[in-house]
Amino acid sequence: MRLWCAAIFLAVCSIGAADRSDAPSVVTPIVCAPVAQSATGMGSTENVNGGDLNIFHPVSPPAYEIRELAWLVFGISAVIFVVVEGVLVWSIIRFRSRDEEAGTPAGEPVQVFGSNPVELAWTIIPCIIVFVLSLATVRTIREVELEAPPAGALEVDVIGHQWWWEFQLAGAESDTRVVTANELVVPVGRPIWLTLRSADVIHSWWVPRLAGKTDVIPNHVNHTWFQAESIGTYLGQCAEYCGTQHANMLLRVRVVTGDEFIAWQVAQSRPPVDSASGVAGKALFLQLACMNCHAIDGVSTGSFGPNLTHLMSRETIGAGVAPLNPKTLRMWVDDPQNLKEGCNMPSLKLDSAQLDAVVAYLLTLK
Amino acid sequence: MTLSHSHPTTPAEGTQTLGARLHGWAVTVDHKRLGILYVCFGLFFFVVAGIEAAIMRAQLAQAAGKVVDPATFNQLFTMHGTTMVFLVGMPILLGMGNYLIPLMVGARDMAFPRLNAFGLWLFVFGAGLLYYSYVGAQGLYGDSAAPDVGWFAYAPLTNKTFSRGNSTDYWILGIMVSGFGSITTAINLLTTILAMRCPGMTLMRMPLMGWMMLVVSVLVIIAIPVLTGAQIMLLLDRSLGMHFFDTQNGGSSILWQHLFWFFGHPEVYILILPAFGFISEVIPVFSRKVIFGYPLMVAATVSIGFISLGVWAHHMFAIGMPPALNAFFAASTFLIAVPTGIKIFNWIGTMVGGRIIFATPMLFATAFVAMFIFGGLTGVMLAVVPFTWQLSDSYFVVGHFHYVLFGGTVFGIFSGFFYWFPKATGRMLSERLGKWFFWLLFAGFNLTFFPMHISGILGMPRRIYMYQPDRGLELWNMLSSIGVIIQAIAIVIFIWNVVVSLRKGRAAGDDPWNAWTLEWSTKSPPPEWNFDQVPTVGSARPLWDAKNPSDPDSHHERTA
Amino acid sequence: MWRPSRGKVGMICLIAAESCIFLTFVVAYLFYIGKSATGPQPAVLGLGLVIVNSIALFSSSFTVVAAVRALQRGQQSVCWRWLAATICLGAFFVCGTGFEWNGLMHEHTLYPSTNLFGTTFYSLVGLHLFHVIVGLMLLSTVLVLGLTGCVKSRHAHAFDLVSWYWHFVDAVWVVVFVTVYVIGR
């Protein structure tokens, strides 16, 4: 029992210590792995999916509010835990029968059938505690759960698919639309209003450091929001079991400066540029089944799989199963099932030359 | 109360052929034999589901583990959850109720003995259907072998479009059939409790276990049919092309969630209340004190039953309910903590001032209280809606409900098992092995499930067949997996203990624990007719009255 | 000391459990009212036939009470007559519903898989119909046993419980009727 209490204490301390990330402690590296650098160089072998997803490290108001409430709840629970377990342990030690080995105890202890004042006390005190918790809960619900977009919000449509994310947002000009997948790029400091829809089954949007989760439900539109306060890449993943590859339905939110965001928007709004290296592959793309599922601006309009117009601007492939580089791209096109077993994209059984051509074409989609 | 010592004899089991004995067990309508069968089947599936869990923990011991493929992993957690809830928790708890309730209320059998046998075999058949899916579900599609939709089978993942083959149909039918079994058992228990009590046993003189099983039966009768109804709808969707949960044609996946959790939350109390009942019998006997605050315990039990019907949507805080609904379900969930807390305080109040004997049943009972406090507190945390927005469907929740269902229900079951084993078999379990079992299980349990809370806080969703390296999850998952090994050793010791004690255990006698309720007044094991003479009681502790004639409980009866 | 009869408690429990199943389907029906985008809408339901049907079912509750009373008084042959009348009224209801469904399927092409209205309508009314059939089977068993001379007036208590089930089936029809033909139409 005491060991167990010590374990809890250690764990709570380690989370608490990790919370003050400006004051590093010994346990921090265990609880919170260093935030992975975004994989800028292609062919980089570092793990693009490593990073910090601790709910106690918020960088956005909803997550921040929830952390504050969580500390309050943890605090109250810890006090109750220590008091009640303490009394339990005390009574175990104090009232343990000493003549256990000697057989039956000498006589029965005094029989106490109950006590109205005591029972009343331990009915009323919990009532008061849960009343306080209710008030705190309602207050935070009101602050976090918004009914309408905050002023000046950037609106993003999020569509969950088995097993990848589609994002749609306004392009550089008023009539263009940026459609991308698995990796959301947003400006720092601006509220982001997400409209969540599903194309098939229930998924759940969860980027712990930005906000709590909101389910993505077919036939039902949900909203959530966040406002990242510092630049960086924030990781998350689908949090509602959605089928075979639920585990590899990863999310990345790249928070960049306002200028970088506008530059990104402009780049994403441009149609792809044809180049000599992609001609053969583009023909294959149109000729094979690729175009039925994948859209490329001005080339194809399939919508079952991710939009590939600016494929090479993304950091990962297959909703995060691997960093995106020519090698993984080739592996993926060869047979997606090798990287992501059970995903909905079949192998097209291309021969080596076809594979090279298609990959060469895809590499031009910057 | 006097006991005659000359029983008319039935042919001793040892002289019968194996076939005759098996036939006897198959056609029995005796509540004690049926109860034992329930517990045996339940323990068998406990081992099966435990093995499923162990394979999952092996897969998750390391990031990006390669022990099983994703489809198999998804089947494993579906079968593990479904089995533990429907084929382990329900049969063992209802089965122990089946064994004990007639003995405790001084009846000769359950109210409807043949219905009782029917219920057992429905359960066995349902369990068989569920596991037959491993063989038969592939159908002509060659698709997934066993159900892989999770134990709460959220629509539309269960739709024909997303779940091909027949595995989901086996899930529906297996659970539905065993659910019918549970309903018949609940009707039987409720009727026995209300209509078969011996003379003098008013409702307020029942052992607390009787009250717990009464409330559980009511919850089963209300909750299970709702699941059955929802499953019928799903079956109609899948087989007749109806659209209840078909989101492509206007159906609602949220309706399934409401119906499922309207069953699912009372189900949690169905699984914990009988364990509360066991604990409420064990703690007084081993503290040598009467239960503290009997009327308040009864009131708390009944109010838990009521409130548990109004909290279901706290499983759905992330679906985007309006703030007012979120606040309502948070408040009702907080409210249920009050009667639950009262129970814990009353158990501790019973121990205070007692002379506590730490035999194995009491070790488990104490651990139950300690673990349930922890699981209860994380439950209160999860009632805080915004907190749940972060942590629902994460490993924090997995940790939470294992503290409640393993640290609570399973510890309660083992407490009751060690307590009543001598009554059911006439032999004591080994205390030495029992203590080894307890301490290993206790250590392994905490090592497995405590780190899960931390994994959840670090952003690990549940039901993933692999997690990403370098998110700080490796250590905690490794600890969880190591804990499973310790638990497995403990379970092996337990099985060994049962096997050895059945053959060579110390003879128990009628009343090895010096206890106070009616089941200890008859032989161990009890004769088929339970009591030679139907007893008459004057208080909630008839044997106390008999043993302490100078100070019978009836002098102290309080009116609530 | 309060100790009710076990037959009554058992039957009340069974009825409670059944009510919960019905409640599930009623909730689903109410939830999906007006949610069918295409196909026939509830307006295709006619009231005439169903009112005649309902009168038959409701009056069967009275005939079954008369049958139970007769058995309690020891007038077996009167009992069988009332019981036979009950069964006929119940059978009339089953046939009437079949007739109604036939019309819906062939004139209005409303099938269970047509739209959400078809789904919820056929499942709710069908679930009730299933219970009427089970009730008829129970009553027929009593009648057959009675005509072969196995039922005596000391069995009146058991027969009374069967009649409770039949009343329950009637009471559910009130709810189904209000849901489908009053609120939903």
Side-chain angles (χ1 to χ4, degrees), chain A residues 306-357:
Chain A
N307 185 308
L308 300 179
T309 312
H310 298 282
L311 173 68
M312 294 315 293
S313 70
R314 299 174 200 155
E315 290 171 352
T316 63
I317 189 166
V321 284
L324 177 57
N325 56 48
K327 192 164 147 263
T328 55
L329 183 62
R330 194 171 195 281
M331 277 169 70
W332 179 269
V333 177
D334 182 26
D335 187 357
Q337 304 297 325
N338 286 338
L339 284 172
K340 194 170 179 177
E341 191 179 344
C343 74
N344 284 330
M345 177 169 164
S347 163
L348 291 175
K349 310 259 187 310
L350 305 183
D351 61 37
S352 184
Q354 287 174 318
L355 208 50
D356 287 336

Side-chain angles (χ1 to χ4, degrees), chain B residues 111 190 195 197 225 241 243-244 252, chain C residues 2-4 6 13 32 113 119 123:
Chain B
L190 189 88
R197 280 165 292 136
H243 308 298
F244 282 108
S252 164
Chain C
W2 179 71
R3 219 168 49 163
R6 67 192 173 113
C13 289
Y32 284 128
S113 57
T119 294
S123 56

Side-chain angles (χ1 to χ4, degrees), chain C residues 86-98:
Chain C
T86 310
I87 293 171
C88 288
L89 287 167
F92 179 86
F93 178 85
V94 174
C95 299
T97 307

Side-chain angles (χ1 to χ4, degrees), chain B residues 171-321:
Chain B
W171 180 85
I172 297 170
L173 289 170
I175 301 311
M176 198 193 288
V177 170
S178 80
F180 288 137
S182 305
I183 294 171
T184 59
T185 309
I187 291 177
N188 224 331
L189 279 170
L190 189 88
T191 312
T192 308
I193 291 169
L194 290 184
M196 310 283 285
R197 280 165 292 136
C198 67
M201 186 171 284
T202 60
L203 285 174
M204 291 308 279
R205 282 180 187 161
M206 273 199 301
L208 272 175
M209 163 102 173
W211 272 102
M212 310 283 173
M213 295 309 292
L214 180 73
V215 174
V216 166
S217 305
V218 172
L219 289 180
V220 169
I221 288 169
I222 294 174
I224 302 265
V226 174
L227 174 67
T228 306
Q231 289 185 317
I232 293 173
M233 292 177 194
L234 185 57
L235 200 62
L236 291 171
D237 272 10
R238 289 179 59 86
S239 52
L240 293 186
M242 293 199 188
H243 308 298
F244 282 108
F245 309 118
D246 173 10
T247 47
Q248 322 272 339
N249 287 292
S252 164
S253 61
I254 291 174
L255 180 67
W256 170 267
Q257 296 193 17
H258 277 295
L259 295 178
F260 187 89
W261 290 118
F262 183 83
F263 145 79
H265 204 78
E267 172 69 16
V268 175
Y269 287 90
I270 292 168
L271 291 174
I272 197 69
L273 279 173
F276 283 179
F278 305 158
I279 299 309
S280 303
E281 299 305 318
V282 168
I283 287 184
V285 168
F286 290 89
S287 305
R288 308 309 306 158
K289 265 183 76 209
V290 67
I291 188 85
F292 190 89
Y294 178 103
L296 188 65
M297 285 297 253
V298 171
T301 309
V302 174
S303 49
I304 285 177
F306 273 111
I307 303 172
S308 76
L309 293 170
V311 300
W312 74 90
H314 69 209
H315 295 265
M316 301 158 59
F317 282 150
I319 67 162
M321 282 190 291

Side-chain angles (χ1 to χ4, degrees), chain B residues 89 93-94 96 100-101 104 207-216 219 265-284 291-292 294 296-305 308 336-348 350 361 364-377 403-416 419-420:
Chain B
L93 296 168
L94 291 178
M96 286 175 82
L100 293 166
I101 286 297
M104 285 184 150
L208 272 175
M209 163 102 173
W211 272 102
M212 310 283 173
M213 295 309 292
L214 180 73
V215 174
V216 166
L219 289 180
H265 204 78
E267 172 69 16
V268 175
Y269 287 90
I270 292 168
L271 291 174
I272 197 69
L273 279 173
F276 283 179
F278 305 158
I279 299 309
S280 303
E281 299 305 318
V282 168
I283 287 184
I291 188 85
F292 190 89
Y294 178 103
L296 188 65
M297 285 297 253
V298 171
T301 309
V302 174
S303 49
I304 285 177
S308 76
I336 210 165
V338 175
T340 314
I342 289 173
K343 282 178 174 300
I344 289 171
F345 301 141
N346 278 353
W347 289 322
I348 298 177
T350 308
F364 273 108
T366 317
F368 171 100
V369 178
M371 297 300 98
F372 194 78
I373 294 169
F374 188 83
L377 284 172
Y403 264 82
V404 177
L405 290 179
F406 195 139
T409 304
V410 175
F411 278 30
I413 287 173
F414 282 126
S415 175
Y419 181 56
W420 282 295

